[in-house]
Amino acid sequence: MRTKIAIIGAGPAGLMLAHLLQRDGIDAVVVESRNRDYIEGRVRAGVLEQTTVNLLERLGISGRMCREGLIHTGTNLAIDGELFRIDMEALTGGSTVMVYGQQEVMRDLFDDAAERGIKIIFEAEGVQLHEVDGSHPFVTWREHGAERRLDCDFIAGCDGFHGVSRPCIPETIRKTFERVYPFGWLGILAEVPPANHELIYANHERGFALASMRSATRSRYYIQCPLDEKLEDWPDERFWDEVSLRLGPATAAHVVRGPAFEKSIAPLRSFVTEPMRHGRLFLAGDAAHIVPPTGAKGLNLAVADVTFLAEALAAYYRSGSALGIDHYSDRALARVWKAERFSWWFTSITHRFPEMDGFARKMQVAELNYIRGSRAAQTMLAENYVGLPLQ
Ligand code: FAD
Ligand code: DHB
């Protein structure tokens, strides 16, 4: 088999890239190790930046999102139960975010890919990348026991944090920057109406809590927990008690309890690998970087990367110019680092750290109170939360 672009991974980065290339008439094949049900079943991101929404609209994949997604013009912070609102729309000159689950985005991308004949190979075993720094790269895998080979011009490594693409950049060239946080997020999904019509990011003496949602009838809640916490130690009632306590009495009065039909613990990490290109291999999304989920940036960053990459590849095939390709890593990283900073900062002012003493907590509370009273500080938060421009 031969194609122009071999895309490794059918997560948000890989599938979005496949769509962008298809619209530009550039032949691509997606090679994915799992099946569609598994990918659509993964409960992950919930908040789409304005730029991600705009891109889905431009691609003509926004019909269901516009009908079922929830536009949020503001978000809320809480200090020991006391809420204040950030009016994102007013502070950014009209930008908002869309609450629409990653699972729904994936379903729309897969449905549209099937209609447009985008080629996706599922359940590819033992995927390997070859000759990424030569002029004839190729990808191999096993499919139902048969060996397969895909020759291509370029490879897009969109295979997430645990994928095979990143390690193909030699260690002598690859630099990594990392922070592992000493806590995780315990998250639940429940078929109950949300406590509030907008999100609440809560800093509480006992630790962080987040009230989010998927629809008017489905809620998503998270609480910060120790990394060695066991799910079986968190029966639903204990979770509802703890999240209510951390959100504070005013919000707790509106928390509707119900059985959790999904419950999981996710570790928190900041991670960046540089460069994001080596020879004919490009990295995009979680394959190149991870942010702690506090700023809701992960999926959105993946989308920004592939927007830059698709532009660079389109210019290459249109005019033969390698300028965009050569600039891809620097351009993507410039935006990645800003999102890393925002996610790290937002985590640092909202979570309880093990070494935190009275002074450190007072500093957090003072910073949150400063944001509450300062239009400038709120603007900083708002413009990062809705998503920085794609420059
Ligand atoms: P992935 O989604 O990881 O996709 C990679 C794909 O590659 C997968 O389908 C995988 O099966 C495949 N793959 C892996 N290895 C191979 C291989 N060897 N060969 C072939 N295929 C392979 N982000 C936000 O923007 N907002 C949020 O609110 C948010 N909340 C989150 C909450 C949680 C609990 C978690 C865990 C994440 C959250 N994120 C959020 C992050 C977001 O989900 C990720 O950043 C996003 O999925 C990254 O997309 P990706 O395509 O780069 O990687
Ligand atoms: C959700 C996840 C996040 O990481 C976040 O910052 C906001 C919302 C969610 O899953 O709904």
Side-chain angles (χ1 to χ4, degrees), residues 8-14 31-34 39 42-47 102 127 158-160 163-164 220 222 266 284-287 293 296-300 302:
I8 316 299
V31 182
E32 163 64 50
S33 57
R34 305 284 192 157
I39 297 168
R42 281 189 298 221
V43 180
R44 286 177 151 192
V47 179
Q102 180 165 335
V127 174
C158 301
D159 47 352
V164 292
R220 179 87 167 135
Y222 297 95
D286 280 15
K297 288 282 156 262
L299 179 152
N300 295 296

Side-chain angles (χ1 to χ4, degrees), residues 111-390:
D111 281 351
D112 199 71
E115 273 171 34
R116 289 173 189 269
I118 290 175
K119 288 182 227 108
I120 308 171
I121 291 151
F122 290 104
E123 299 184 338
E125 289 169 37
V127 174
Q128 286 186 337
L129 280 48
H130 306 269
E131 317 223 351
V132 296
D133 49 4
S135 48
H136 300 289
F138 61 99
V139 180
T140 57
W141 67 94
R142 281 185 312 282
E143 210 177 316
H144 311 302
E147 296 291 333
R148 303 291 305 270
R149 171 174 169 149
L150 175 64
D151 290 277
C152 55
D153 297 343
F154 298 102
I155 301 176
C158 301
D159 47 352
F161 186 63
H162 300 286
V164 292
S165 299
R166 190 175 62 250
C168 291
I169 303 183
E171 273 181 36
T172 47
I173 295 172
R174 187 162 32 106
K175 286 202 206 86
T176 58
F177 304 86
E178 190 168 23
R179 266 283 176 286
V180 177
Y181 298 85
F183 40 73
W185 276 18
L186 168 59
I188 66 154
L189 264 179
E191 210 57 48
V192 291
N196 189 47
H197 70 289
E198 289 174 346
L199 272 61
I200 304 172
Y201 289 87
N203 176 320
H204 189 272
E205 183 76 52
R206 292 173 66 88
F208 171 78
L210 169 59
S212 180
M213 67 198 71
R214 288 293 176 273
S215 70
T217 55
R218 183 173 286 192
S219 300
R220 179 87 167 135
Y221 288 97
Y222 297 95
I223 52 170
Q224 170 188 354
C225 67
L227 277 173
D228 55 2
E229 203 68 57
K230 303 267 177 298
L231 276 182
E232 54 269 29
D233 292 334
W234 284 92
D236 292 354
E237 276 315 300
R238 181 177 176 207
F239 184 92
W240 290 118
D241 287 345
E242 187 63 31
V243 80
S244 300
L245 197 67
R246 295 187 191 184
L247 290 168
T251 304
H254 300 283
V255 170
V256 182
R257 299 182 179 211
F261 64 86
E262 206 273 342
K263 200 180 275 172
S264 56
I265 296 178
L268 267 67
R269 183 194 296 272
S270 298
F271 176 94
V272 182
T273 194
E274 290 185 354
M276 285 171 60
R277 179 225 177 158
H278 176 64
R280 287 178 174 260
L281 168 67
F282 302 95
L283 300 181
D286 280 15
H289 41 72
I290 297 287
V291 284
T294 323
K297 288 282 156 262
L299 179 152
N300 295 296
L301 269 186
V303 171
D305 287 352
V306 296
T307 304
F308 294 151
L309 183 53
E311 272 177 28
L313 290 169
Y316 175 82
Y317 285 108
R318 208 171 39 238
S319 67
S321 162
L323 264 177
I325 287 176
D326 290 341
H327 193 49
Y328 166 70
S329 177
D330 287 345
R331 189 180 180 201
L333 282 166
R335 193 171 184 281
V336 164
W337 274 115
K338 289 179 197 160
E340 290 282 343
R341 184 209 70 83
F342 176 66
S343 306
W344 159 84
W345 168 78
F346 204 23
T347 304
S348 76
I349 62 161
T350 47
H351 288 65
R352 176 150 198 107
F353 288 73
E355 71 281 4
M356 233 168 82
D357 57 10
F359 182 83
R361 164 104 174 117
K362 287 280 187 198
M363 288 297 102
Q364 280 189 337
V365 172
E367 183 153 8
L368 287 163
N369 275 321
Y370 171 64
I371 297 168
R372 188 211 300 249
S374 160
R375 188 180 168 88
Q378 289 189 11
T379 304
M380 183 282 281
L381 200 156
E383 65 188 19
N384 278 279
Y385 196 82
V386 299
L388 297 175
L390 296 178

